[in-house]
Amino acid sequence: MGTIKLKNIRTFSYHGCLIEEGKIGSDYSVDLEIKANLKHSAESDNLIDTVDYVHLNKIVEEEMAIRSNLLEHVTKRIIDRALKEIEMITKIKVGVSKLNPPIGGDVEAVTIEMEEERYFNL
């Protein structure tokens, strides 16, 4: 088993329940951590034998471009799509952070973190 992490994927997106958030947008940061069997790729040195982090980054960027009211919703979409498109993933953890959220206080970020595990039928 191994871990692949993508840290601080930065996007400018339009998530939020307030109408203004959908119009002016905000800065976001996404952290992604996946578990997969990396033994074969460590031996083969072949991209086809591993989880391509370029593909992971593309999923994050595309899903962050689709407006959601809640960070939970976009986080779940990222998880679902990664598990659907990349069969090697056995576990995924995603954190989506809204930087400088408009909540009437001095808050650096609000983060939603969710994880899911793929269960294989034996």
Side-chain angles (χ1 to χ4, degrees):
M1 198 58 57
T3 304
I4 296 175
K5 296 180 183 181
L6 280 74
K7 297 181 182 181
N8 197 23
I9 302 168
R10 292 173 300 280
T11 70
F12 189 85
S13 302
Y14 297 88
H15 308 300
C17 293
L18 302 175
I19 293 171
E20 296 81 23
E21 293 175 297
K23 292 179 181 178
I24 63 172
S26 187
D27 291 311
Y28 291 81
S29 173
V30 178
D31 293 317
L32 182 85
E33 180 176 314
I34 65 103
K35 300 278 186 186
N37 184 342
L38 304 178
K39 290 180 182 178
H40 186 62
S41 60
E43 299 266 335
S44 73
D45 195 28
N46 193 331
L47 181 61
I48 199 161
D49 295 327
T50 194
V51 177
D52 184 354
Y53 49 80
V54 172
H55 188 174
L56 290 170
N57 186 66
K58 179 181 178 195
I59 289 170
V60 169
E61 289 181 347
E62 289 177 357
E63 292 303 322
M64 288 298 290
I66 302 169
R67 178 164 162 50
S68 291
N69 288 327
L70 301 177
L71 296 181
E72 293 91 325
H73 188 256
V74 69
T75 303
K76 179 71 169 131
R77 283 201 326 262
I78 292 168
I79 289 171
D80 289 347
R81 186 165 163 203
L83 288 172
K84 179 182 177 187
E85 292 183 15
I86 306 171
E87 292 183 19
M88 282 186 65
I89 296 174
T90 58
K91 188 174 183 179
I92 182 169
K93 181 175 169 181
V94 177
V96 177
S97 300
K98 179 183 281 192
L99 308 179
N100 302 310
I103 61 175
D106 186 13
V107 178
E108 181 180 335
V110 172
T111 302
I112 297 298
E113 197 171 80
M114 297 170 67
E115 61 183 82
E116 199 162 315
E117 197 165 339
R118 184 192 307 272
Y119 296 99
F120 296 97
N121 294 330
L122 300 177

